[in-house]
Amino acid sequence: ATAVLLKHFNSQGTVLTDTIRTLISSIRLPAKNSAEEPVLGSLRLLNLLCKELGAYVFPFCFETDKKGKSCIQLLLCKLYGKGSKGVRSEVKKATVQLFKTLGPCEIDCVAPLLVEAMKGNSWRDRVLSLTVLGQLGKRKASGLSRHLPVLVPTVMECTSDTKKEVAESSSNALKDVSSIIDNPETVKLMSWLLDA
């Protein structure tokens, strides 16, 4: 039923655009003592749309709300860190699925947000951003290599984090990102860093 619905939306461009905008605007941290099912449903639908429509969804995730925050910033820097276990699980699935579709232009937009999340106060936000960076490294995302001079030092800072989960995620991200480095001097340095 979902596939049929998506095909119908795809044939109706403006309906799809409005649907994505409405969906993304509904992804907010639920107020205290309120039901989180609407947020969970929105995150599941975002995951499905990213899976079915790929990069078409991405530009909508950068539109900002009244507070000047985009959906991407909310996913990376708020929902995952402050949400319940169920919300965190859905945020991780939706974020990883969204980031699977990134091309070089999108990576240019996302790299500063990953750095922001890795330097944030919430250890969970750091773990998610490191996980996403690792996923980008695993699939050798084009355009990522030019951001490594900024990303790698930030990841290195996370390796000494007092929270075990952050330190492990940063080590994994370094391993995954090291596969896209082709400069011989840097490759030697990365193998030394990974052994440290």
Side-chain angles (χ1 to χ4, degrees):
T2 307
V4 172
L5 184 64
L6 286 173
K7 283 182 183 173
H8 170 71
F9 280 154
N10 210 11
S11 66
Q12 310 281 325
T14 56
V15 175
L16 179 61
T17 301
D18 293 343
T19 301
I20 293 171
R21 278 200 174 101
T22 303
L23 164 72
I24 288 174
S25 68
S26 69
I27 299 175
R28 298 287 174 255
L29 193 64
K32 274 192 174 175
N33 302 325
S34 67
E36 59 185 33
E37 283 79 17
V39 175
L40 291 172
S42 296
L43 289 166
R44 288 179 187 131
L45 188 54
L46 177 62
N47 186 5
L48 180 67
L49 285 172
C50 291
K51 204 177 281 186
E52 296 294 325
L53 301 174
Y56 183 79
V57 176
F58 191 80
F60 298 98
C61 294
F62 270 93
E63 293 181 359
T64 56
D65 62 11
K66 293 174 187 170
K67 295 179 182 176
K69 291 282 185 188
S70 69
C71 175
I72 295 285
Q73 287 172 300
L74 192 63
L75 288 171
L76 286 174
C77 302
K78 193 169 184 182
L79 272 175
Y80 192 73
K82 296 183 179 172
S84 68
K85 189 175 182 178
V87 170
R88 284 195 306 270
S89 173
E90 293 302 323
V91 167
K92 185 174 182 178
K93 288 177 196 172
T95 304
V96 168
Q97 187 63 44
L98 176 65
F99 279 60
K100 280 182 181 178
T101 66
L102 299 186
C105 294
E106 291 88 3
I107 287 177
D108 288 344
C109 298
V110 165
L113 297 176
L114 288 173
V115 171
E116 177 187 336
M118 283 187 254
K119 291 182 176 184
N121 293 331
S122 169
W123 67 269
R124 288 187 174 114
D125 292 343
R126 291 193 297 274
V127 168
L128 180 62
S129 60
L130 290 162
T131 302
V132 166
L133 179 60
Q135 292 292 326
L136 292 173
K138 277 182 188 172
R139 71 176 186 88
K140 301 181 191 285
S142 61
L144 185 62
S145 58
R146 71 173 157 258
H147 296 284
L148 291 181
V150 174
L151 290 167
V152 170
T154 309
V155 174
M156 288 302 300
E157 289 174 23
C158 293
T159 58
S160 60
D161 198 282
T162 56
K163 203 66 166 151
K164 183 178 93 173
E165 293 88 342
V166 175
E168 287 175 1
S169 294
S170 61
S171 295
N172 293 337
L174 273 177
K175 287 175 193 163
D176 295 335
V177 166
S178 67
S179 65
I180 61 173
I181 297 172
D182 55 4
N183 180 316
E185 291 85 21
T186 309
V187 170
K188 288 179 189 174
L189 180 63
M190 283 303 287
S191 61
W192 178 79
L193 289 172
L194 291 171
D195 291 337

